[in-house]
Amino acid sequence: MTSLYPDEMAEIYDAMYQSFIDYNKEYTFYNKLLQKSNPKSILEIGSGTGNLAKHFIKNKQNYTGLDYSKSMIGISQKRNPDCNFIQGDMRDFNLEEKVDAIIITSRSTSYLISNNDINDTFNCLHNNLNTDGVIIFDFIDANRFIPYIKENSPIVHTAQHKGINYSRKSSWEVSQHDNFLLEWTAKYYSDEIDDSKAIANDYSTVRVFTLNEMQLFLYLNHFEIVEIIDRKTYAYDTFVIVAKKKS
Ligand SMILES: C[S@@+](CC[C@H](N)C(=O)[O-])C[C@H]1O[C@@H](n2cnc3c(N)ncnc32)[C@H](O)[C@@H]1O
């Protein structure tokens, strides 16, 4: 796996994403879906720097965050000192107590590269859920994203945070390997986009999915789809899926 968010990247990520994503709206969106099954406990996977966590804590929900990156966990724990964050891998983790709902937001599923990664993750989610537990997650729609990057690369996203202007210039190459893998190069700048003044570079292999393959992965891992939502986010066309654990 790509080395995810070392210290410096985690801080830049945190600054930029607070401009890209309205976490208030994001919380309202996911919490509305969650409340349809009235979960008593919620796990967020890929909890990042704890921006969504903040809202769950404020509303006194029984929330736990899990993330692979130590630096992301460090920032989220500082932001939410009383909250429980676990450093772990969504493909292989064991909660002390099972939960009623698991969410994976902000396209964190893009880091599941191989079919094994996806099957291991869904299997793990199944094992860590109570009976009738639900999962809610989003993913980038390959059918719309691949044509988009072919016509639009590189793509610049800008953000303002604490008086600093940030930009991120992204290029995606469709990989020669299996599946819908993309090689993502992101260069980060503050103030002007000048390659000699880039403040950070990030390279990751990410995967985008078709709705059909995701439906099949869920079926194979004993989840029943309850709802599919077609959702545009700040940069991507995504699907959000709500699925229930089958016994
Ligand atoms: C795009 S960020 C989203 C962060 C957060 N949800 C937000 O909205 O700000 C993806 C997150 O997924 C985490 N991640 C990637 N692969 C993971 C894995 N295998 N297990 C757990 N977390 C993972 C990364 O460390 C990162 O924090």
Side-chain angles (χ1 to χ4, degrees):
M1 181 190 276
T2 333
S3 78
L4 279 165
Y5 304 110
D7 284 350
E8 180 199 19
M9 271 308 306
E11 277 164 31
I12 296 170
Y13 170 93
D14 188 46
M16 289 199 80
Y17 271 65
Q18 285 183 70
S19 282
F20 289 163
I21 300 178
D22 180 339
Y23 285 100
N24 212 357
K25 270 199 191 143
E26 197 73 352
Y27 169 74
T28 306
F29 175 82
Y30 280 101
N31 196 42
K32 203 167 158 194
L33 292 177
L34 280 166
Q35 291 317 315
K36 290 184 185 181
S37 64
N38 194 21
K40 301 280 173 285
S41 48
I42 299 160
L43 173 74
E44 183 194 5
I45 292 180
S47 47
T49 54
N51 283 307
L52 210 52
K54 201 166 66 184
H55 295 275
F56 286 103
I57 305 303
K58 199 170 112 202
N59 288 313
K60 303 199 175 351
Q61 287 162 286
N62 180 358
Y63 167 99
T64 303
L66 182 144
D67 202 283
Y68 188 77
S69 155
K70 275 195 187 133
S71 7
M72 298 296 250
I73 292 275
I75 297 178
S76 61
Q77 195 70 73
K78 223 188 245 172
R79 177 165 280 135
N80 308 282
D82 299 329
C83 181
N84 182 25
F85 291 100
I86 302 167
Q87 199 233 329
D89 188 330
M90 64 176 122
R91 298 166 299 179
D92 182 17
F93 67 95
N94 249 315
L95 297 175
E96 278 171 24
E97 277 182 46
K98 294 185 184 198
V99 290
D100 289 344
I102 301 179
I103 59 172
I104 313 176
T105 73
S106 336
R107 286 81 49 208
S108 302
T109 50
S110 312
Y111 295 101
L112 300 172
I113 309 297
S114 67
N115 289 358
N116 277 347
D117 287 344
I118 298 155
N119 284 319
D120 289 349
T121 299
F122 283 150
N123 182 39
C124 211
L125 299 186
H126 203 277
N127 292 339
N128 283 283
L129 275 177
N130 287 320
T131 312
D132 293 334
V134 296
I135 55 174
I136 304 176
F137 66 95
D138 67 349
F139 64 90
I140 299 174
D141 176 18
N143 276 312
R144 285 176 285 179
F145 193 61
I146 291 180
Y148 178 79
I149 58 172
K150 285 201 168 287
E151 284 154 31
N152 291 285
S153 194
I155 298 165
V156 176
H157 293 113
T158 54
Q160 285 80 38
H161 186 66
K162 293 190 175 162
I164 301 173
N165 295 316
Y166 291 98
S167 309
R168 179 181 71 184
K169 190 162 77 176
S170 294
S171 328
W172 288 270
E173 291 286 330
V174 178
S175 158
Q176 301 306 313
H177 303 294
D178 288 346
N179 305 324
F180 303 113
L181 292 187
L182 307 174
E183 302 304 334
W184 178 24
T185 308
K187 271 183 185 286
Y188 292 79
Y189 311 85
S190 61
D191 294 325
E192 51 180 322
I193 301 182
D194 171 346
D195 276 351
S196 65
K197 294 184 190 154
I199 52 173
N201 292 303
D202 191 20
Y203 306 96
S204 336
T205 301
V206 291
R207 179 170 177 178
V208 292
F209 301 88
T210 68
L211 181 56
N212 292 54
E213 62 179 344
M214 205 46 110
Q215 287 167 317
L216 195 50
F217 281 125
L218 286 165
Y219 166 80
L220 291 171
N221 288 285
H222 314 290
F223 280 101
E224 181 189 333
I225 295 180
V226 177
E227 201 171 338
I228 300 173
I229 299 149
D230 186 339
R231 187 178 191 227
K232 272 203 186 312
T233 67
Y234 79 96
Y236 310 101
D237 291 305
T238 66
F239 285 110
V240 176
I241 301 221
V242 182
K244 194 165 122 183
K245 171 177 174 165
K246 286 198 284 189
S247 34

